[in-house]
Amino acid sequence: MSHYTNEEWRQFICDVLPEEKREEMESHLYSCDQCLAAYMELIEENASALRSEK
């Protein structure tokens, strides 16, 4: 199984990917604990950054 990079997950989070790519990555999250962990970590980093900007 291939994995997505943190940069790809950042693009996913920022919703800047084509719909087909987003759907592919979303499906991947359901079957890959490694990518799910990376995604969740990036979500938390983004949430922390948003909180510190306020």
Side-chain angles (χ1 to χ4, degrees):
M1 173 185 295
S2 62
H3 302 285
Y4 294 98
T5 65
N6 282 354
E7 182 55 35
E8 288 173 306
W9 288 120
R10 281 185 190 93
Q11 292 172 354
F12 180 87
I13 292 165
C14 293
D15 198 20
V16 297
L17 295 170
E19 186 63 28
E20 183 177 317
K21 179 75 170 182
R22 285 188 54 77
E23 289 174 1
E24 176 185 309
M25 291 176 74
E26 186 175 347
S27 293
H28 183 80
L29 285 175
Y30 290 110
S31 61
C32 181
D33 290 340
Q34 181 178 335
C35 284
L36 179 58
Y39 171 74
M40 295 303 292
E41 186 175 313
L42 290 167
I43 289 285
E44 181 59 34
E45 285 176 14
N46 283 351
S48 295
L50 289 174
R51 283 192 295 266
S52 66
E53 288 179 8
K54 290 182 178 184

